Amino acid sequence: NGLPLQMRPNSPDLKTIYESLVADEFKKISECLPRNFSGIIIDAGGYIGTSAIAFSLKFPHSTIISVEPALQNFQLLKENIKSFDNILALNAALSFQKNQKIPLYDRGTGQWGFTTVDHLPKNDANRIETVPTITLEELRDQFGTATVLKLDIEGGEYELLKNSRSELEKIDFIYIELHQRIRSEITEVFNDFIKDKLVCRDGHEKFLISNQ
């Protein structure tokens, strides 16, 4: 569609580009908000920027905060969002812990599968770097309360649902992908979180939650 994007060969990048920008991965969110929506969207698990770009194209008046922990992904993200003035990129891991430096692990599933979950089997726990944390509270204090949170953080959603519930419930719409293969306990915590909420399932692992 005329967008210049950088991607890596032998990586999941092209599939991610297709899902976000061709297959309209976030269609359900666009059905919930008007095109002139001017609020804040947090894109947690920004990867190479395609989800943030998709939000920007849908809501050109919004402010999108794209949070990506892996430096190699973040560098591509920065390149890909250069022409989008309403996207801000942060090299950090979304967490319930403030002011921490935490390890990032390569699970061997490609660049989109890097995780901060630290109790993986040894053969799945190749530590690649250490990243700073940022919390939902810190993002709210800096940018204001978000209306939309996209949460695709490779198992890190478990700790957020468990420890940052009050902050999560301040956000109108949460688009979340669950990673039971990384944190099998996520199902119980997720079901407890959504018990009084409107939830729409979108695909095998993705859910749109409304806190309204």
Side-chain angles (χ1 to χ4, degrees), residues 28-29 31-32 173-176 190 194 197-203 205-210:
K28 291 191 182 300
I29 290 179
E31 294 171 353
C32 298
F173 299 101
I174 301 172
Y175 193 90
I176 183 171
F190 177 73
I194 65 171
K197 298 174 174 58
L198 179 64
V199 181
C200 176
R201 187 160 190 170
D202 184 17
E205 298 176 314
K206 296 179 176 64
F207 298 85
L208 180 60
I209 305 167
S210 173

Side-chain angles (χ1 to χ4, degrees), residues 175-193:
Y175 193 90
I176 183 171
E177 180 168 336
L178 302 182
H179 298 86
Q180 294 98 330
R181 59 192 176 278
I182 302 175
R183 292 300 298 259
S184 59
E185 314 97 311
I186 184 63
T187 302
E188 182 179 352
V189 174
F190 177 73
N191 286 339
D192 181 65
F193 179 76

